[in-house]
Amino acid sequence: MTLWKSSDIEKAINGKASMDFDVTGVEFDSREVSEGDLFLALKGEQSDGHLYLDKAFENGANGAVSEQDCVHPHIRVADSTKALDDLAKAARTRVNAKIIGVTGSAGKTGTKEALFAALNRSSHGKAHRSVKSYNNHVGVPLSLSRMPADTSFGIFEMGMNHKGELSQLTKLVRPHVAIVTTIAPAHIGHFSGEEEIADAKAEIFEGFEEGGTAIIPHDSPHYERLRKAAEKHAGEVVTFGLHADADARAIDMVPAIGGGTLVTAKIRNANLCYTVAEAGEHWVLNSLAVLAAVQAVGGDMAAAGLALAELPGMAGRGARHKIAIEGGTALVIDESYNANPASMGVTIAALGAEAADRRIVLLGAMKELGAASDTYHAELAVPLRAAQVDLAILVGDEMKILADTIAADPDHATKAVHVADALEAEKLLKTQLCAGDALLVKGSNAMGLAAVVGSLTDAGLKRAG
């Protein structure tokens, strides 16, 4: 189906079309262009999209936005990056949809995906969301520009690592509902402390449509700070958590048959019993935020509960794999996409709840933690002990202090091995992993641990000899 006509694009971005054309999608990476797409030739710090115009059309583009004339159907503009923002604004203006923005130090992508699953089910395919982790100054307007005109619900993830970034993004998105999942020392190297991170996350409320609903974590130590910031812009503030005063709160949580958690919750005036497919208390908290948002936009709560029960784990963000290994199978939990002290703690705790012969972690260094990096890494010894982790393979220079901290504690039962990189970790794992083990893989994306997961899961692991 047509997403944009060239005449509408031309008007939205104040450009000049070389001819009429229609497009079915929008893309800025020529390698990702599909049949019928609009290719945005963006100039970046590392590359210039204009060099790939021919490639984009070879891959099936129907038109392009370009700062220079070319032989292909295109719309000429003075600034293609500004054109992307202008197209995003036009996409946001033309829909009569309820828009939800999601931010936080952890759990953004999972919460966004759960919201999409819930609202897409009840709207019969009329929900739209940002794909992957497209949450920055390019990803957010790109996701907006891809939103169909007949969308009923739009869900957009917004991230930041500096003050002021969310303020710009949320004014493009203009959410009716905004969620802050959690506040943790992610990217703290760019901030003076967690208070500044909380303030930066609270910028999401600045873009509210009139009467917007802010959904914030009641259990956070920064709750009062977030609430005060939200009240400046929101028509309503809804809280979620385990606290008895939270508007959306879990009353009871028990392990579900087949995995995950069976939750009994009170979502303001509604009571709901549902299953969260993903393991861990952090996912229960995410589900409460999801249900509060679904209720705020008038969505179907029962459909949302069913969606949470069926939500699959995402690659790099909780996907679970059973791999064949000599004598049986081993469980691999893939959390390789990102890591900060808070998300490390909750995923290690979730591993501790797994029934397994041995619990093993492959942990990569956490980046952008600033002067407190050593402290944050060393403190991971505590959740490793609580989860009764048998073996910790620790990757990267920053993880050396955690290995030393564990080694210096004669009562710590975890065996810690420090290695330089993902390749060395993979070689070690292939000599250590056995049937009956549960392995958690988590680290900052720059550590390349996703490749280890891929190697383990592609064809299973066969022990030599």
Side-chain angles (χ1 to χ4, degrees):
M1 294 179 63
T2 297
L3 178 66
W4 290 99
K5 292 181 178 296
S6 59
S7 56
D8 295 326
I9 302 170
E10 188 178 33
K11 181 178 178 181
I13 67 177
N14 193 27
K16 180 64 176 176
S18 65
M19 63 182 70
D20 290 338
F21 58 85
D22 297 342
V23 296
T24 55
V26 183
E27 185 54 73
F28 69 90
D29 186 336
S30 63
R31 297 166 297 182
E32 300 291 329
V33 167
S34 298
E35 194 72 31
D37 277 352
L38 174 72
F39 175 64
L40 291 153
L42 303 181
K43 289 183 177 178
E45 294 180 2
Q46 304 297 326
S47 64
D48 183 349
H50 295 84
L51 300 175
Y52 304 98
L53 281 162
D54 290 341
K55 180 65 175 177
F57 281 90
E58 286 175 13
N59 288 343
N62 269 13
V65 171
S66 172
E67 295 177 14
Q68 61 193 41
D69 290 326
C70 64
V71 297
H72 307 289
H74 68 280
I75 299 175
R76 176 79 179 265
V77 294
D79 184 334
S80 54
T81 299
K82 181 180 183 299
L84 172 58
D85 281 354
D86 289 341
L87 190 60
K89 292 173 184 175
R92 175 65 184 87
T93 298
R94 72 175 179 170
V95 298
N96 183 25
K98 292 292 185 180
I99 304 296
I100 304 171
V102 182
T103 194
S105 300
K108 295 186 294 296
T109 302
T111 299
K112 177 257 297 180
E113 290 295 322
L115 275 166
F116 172 76
L119 294 169
N120 202 48
R121 176 188 287 258
S122 61
S123 66
H124 306 290
K126 295 297 184 182
H128 172 79
R129 94 290 207 187
S130 47
V131 299
K132 301 180 183 178
S133 291
Y134 282 3
N135 62 20
N136 64 7
H137 66 287
V138 174
V140 170
L142 180 69
S143 298
L144 281 164
S145 71
R146 291 170 167 176
M147 182 165 52
D150 63 349
T151 296
S152 296
F153 300 102
I155 307 103
F156 298 93
E157 178 181 340
M158 288 177 266
M160 64 87 207
N161 54 23
H162 290 88
K163 181 180 178 181
E165 291 177 342
L166 266 178
S167 180
Q168 297 177 35
L169 297 178
T170 191
K171 287 167 186 173
L172 284 176
V173 174
R174 291 165 37 213
H176 296 95
V177 175
I179 299 172
V180 176
T181 58
T182 188
I183 302 297
H187 311 297
I188 200 166
H190 302 303
F191 297 91
S192 64
E194 282 192 25
E195 292 80 4
E196 275 201 357
I197 293 175
D199 291 342
K201 295 295 184 184
E203 290 172 10
I204 194 172
F205 307 132
E206 296 176 11
F208 267 141
E209 291 287 85
E210 185 176 354
T213 300
I215 299 176
I216 61 174
H218 200 299
D219 303 343
S220 171
H222 307 288
Y223 165 67
E224 293 294 345
R225 195 180 194 94
L226 288 171
R227 186 175 193 108
K228 185 176 179 181
E231 287 174 343
K232 294 178 182 177
H233 306 282
E236 183 178 37
V237 178
V238 177
T239 65
F240 69 93
L242 305 181
H243 194 283
D245 292 337
D247 299 310
R249 67 183 184 277
I251 298 170
D252 190 31
M253 300 180 291
V254 295
I257 297 173
T261 307
L262 180 64
V263 183
T264 302
K266 188 174 183 65
I267 313 298
R268 308 188 78 179
N269 297 323
N271 293 323
L272 192 65
C273 184
Y274 61 96
T275 298
V276 182
E278 297 294 322
E281 185 179 286
H282 61 299
W283 257 106
V284 173
L285 294 173
N286 290 347
S287 76
L288 295 171
V290 166
L291 291 169
V294 169
Q295 188 181 66
V297 296
D300 186 325
M301 299 286 281
L306 291 172
L308 287 166
E310 298 173 0
L311 193 69
M314 296 174 291
R317 301 179 184 276
R320 298 162 72 88
H321 306 276
K322 283 289 183 72
I323 64 169
I325 195 168
E326 184 180 338
T329 62
L331 172 65
V332 178
I333 304 169
D334 178 13
E335 289 275 359
S336 60
Y337 184 78
N338 210 347
N340 61 54
S343 64
M344 278 284 200
V346 296
T347 51
I348 291 170
L351 176 67
E354 293 287 343
D357 294 340
R358 293 190 306 166
R359 298 182 184 93
I360 301 173
V361 296
L362 170 57
L363 302 183
M366 301 178 288
K367 299 296 185 179
E368 297 184 2
L369 295 181
S373 178
D374 280 356
T375 298
Y376 288 123
H377 283 86
E379 287 176 346
L380 293 178
V382 176
L384 289 173
R385 180 202 296 271
Q388 297 182 308
V389 170
D390 297 281
L391 171 64
I393 300 173
L394 309 174
V395 185
D397 293 342
E398 296 92 334
M399 278 291 177
K400 178 66 164 58
I401 192 166
L402 174 57
D404 292 344
T405 299
I406 292 172
D409 182 354
D411 297 324
H412 207 299
T414 302
K415 178 184 177 182
V417 181
H418 180 254
V419 297
D421 55 33
L423 182 60
E424 189 176 347
E426 181 181 331
K427 291 177 181 177
L428 178 59
L429 254 182
K430 288 183 175 179
T431 68
Q432 295 294 317
L433 199 62
C434 298
D437 289 345
L439 166 68
L440 168 67
V441 181
K442 188 165 182 65
S444 290
N445 195 37
M447 300 309 299
L449 300 188
V452 180
V453 175
S455 178
L456 293 176
T457 58
D458 278 348
L461 180 63
K462 299 187 183 303
R463 177 79 68 242

